[in-house]
Amino acid sequence: MPSRKALVLGGSGLTGGHCLDLLLQDDTWGQVSVLVRRPLSLTHPRLIQHQVRFDDLTEALAEIQVDDVFCCLGTTIKKAGSREAFYQVDYTYPVEIATLSLAGGATQFLLVSAMGANPDSSVFYNRVKGEVEQAIDPLGFRGFYIFRPSLLLGKRQERRPAEEIGQKLATGLSFGFVGPLKKYKPIEAKTVASAMVETARNQPFGKQIYRSHQIQAIYDQRVADDDVTQKK
Ligand SMILES: NC(=O)c1ccc[n+]([C@@H]2O[C@H](COP(=O)([O-])OP(=O)(O)OC[C@H]3O[C@@H](n4cnc5c(N)ncnc54)[C@H](OP(=O)(O)O)[C@@H]3O)[C@@H](O)[C@H]2O)c1
């Protein structure tokens, strides 16, 4: 495959940070751009950081030509301060970035959504996640890959007490997430990032939705394939 160019959104966050690390270790991508509000303390010969204002992305994205967009943006209503501010990060920015990057030649868009995403949901968070999926779908990417993880596991810089309780409970009860409950099993953010990178490399056609257990399966297959390659 010729050398591809990636764009990462949310590179300072948990899932986006893992995406960045994995993309920079992978020769498939000859250039990895990241849009950030504040510079990252990360340097790499293939990494280009763009410090931008997210409420005015037109100019920045006009200068960045990429193939694959990894959208790991997100916030919480508490952190954002209001439902409107949450909506801007979880809906408006991803849709704008998708529209502008497609116009610039991007062919694949990978979106971290969430389990429960549904535009008709009565739960605001799930509704916004469903709406953002629904808005990007008709834009016409060659590949639009939606990842719907359950609770994300991983080390965060900030404290999120509700998620920490969820993580502890889920770790203790992990044996119970079988059969129809497997889609609820919490998942490492690194596993999600790895499945995203693997999917971008495989380039399936059209819209694909990956639920949490399917994300885990992509990752497990990748690890198994690597083991076979190493043993040869
Ligand atoms: N947490 C969970 O358990 C969970 C479960 C399922 C799905 N999800 C979804 O998965 C996605 C990734 O989650 P995560 O926990 O990996 O994310 P995260 O660690 O909270 O990182 C969020 C990223 O979004 C950026 N961001 C937030 N507000 C912004 C703003 N106003 N302008 C520009 N950038 C902004 C942050 O940049 P700064 O560093 O500049 O703030 C950061 O890079 C999100 O869409 C989330 O809803 C999360």
Side-chain angles (χ1 to χ4, degrees):
M1 187 197 294
S3 183
R4 299 179 67 80
K5 293 180 182 171
L7 174 65
V8 177
L9 291 314
S12 56
L14 185 60
T15 314
H18 285 303
C19 266
L20 258 189
D21 288 346
L22 292 167
L23 289 165
L24 290 171
Q25 289 165 29
D26 194 321
D27 291 342
T28 308
W29 287 273
Q31 186 178 297
V32 180
S33 298
V34 63
L35 295 191
V36 284
R37 295 196 281 183
R38 289 170 288 272
L40 304 175
S41 58
L42 175 67
T43 54
H44 190 281
R46 284 188 280 125
L47 175 67
I48 304 176
Q49 295 199 34
H50 301 267
Q51 199 175 348
V52 295
R53 286 187 36 227
F54 277 75
D55 49 10
D56 184 15
L57 288 167
T58 312
E59 217 172 284
L61 280 167
E63 289 167 13
I64 309 170
Q65 195 279 316
V66 295
D67 302 293
D68 308 318
V69 183
F70 294 77
C71 185
C72 311
L73 283 179
T75 189
T76 59
I77 296 172
K78 191 176 168 203
K79 206 171 161 186
S82 67
R83 281 186 169 209
E84 290 70 30
F86 170 84
Y87 192 81
Q88 194 166 29
V89 177
D90 279 67
Y91 178 91
T92 309
Y93 294 161
V95 174
E96 271 178 21
I97 290 160
T99 307
L100 293 167
S101 60
L102 182 71
T107 55
Q108 302 196 110
F109 195 90
L110 300 99
L111 176 72
V112 186
S113 176
M115 185 178 71
N118 178 354
D120 300 319
S121 176
S122 56
V123 178
F124 179 67
Y125 177 82
N126 290 343
R127 192 163 68 245
V128 175
K129 292 298 191 188
E131 285 176 3
V132 69
E133 293 181 2
Q134 198 176 43
I136 295 172
D137 184 23
L139 296 181
F141 283 97
R142 182 198 167 280
F144 175 36
Y145 316 133
I146 297 166
F147 296 80
R148 289 185 184 164
S150 176
L151 180 71
L152 291 174
L153 303 175
K155 230 177 152 77
R156 290 183 185 280
Q157 311 247 315
E158 64 181 296
R159 294 217 52 206
R160 292 190 184 174
E163 278 184 23
E164 284 169 22
I165 293 168
Q167 291 199 6
K168 279 188 188 135
L169 275 176
T171 310
L173 298 172
S174 63
F175 59 86
F177 294 104
V178 290
L181 295 182
K182 65 183 176 186
K183 66 178 175 189
Y184 298 109
K185 188 174 179 180
I187 186 164
E188 291 288 339
K190 191 173 181 179
T191 300
V192 178
S194 175
M196 292 172 79
V197 172
E198 180 68 2
T199 305
R201 203 186 295 108
N202 291 337
Q203 304 184 21
F205 186 77
K207 175 180 162 187
Q208 310 287 338
I209 298 176
Y210 302 104
R211 291 173 176 79
S212 227
H213 63 289
Q214 294 167 319
I215 298 171
Q216 184 69 51
I218 296 172
Y219 172 81
D220 292 344
Q221 185 61 52
R222 170 75 201 184
V223 172
D225 290 348
D226 282 352
D227 280 353
V228 171
T229 313
Q230 276 167 19
K231 280 179 190 152
K232 272 185 187 166

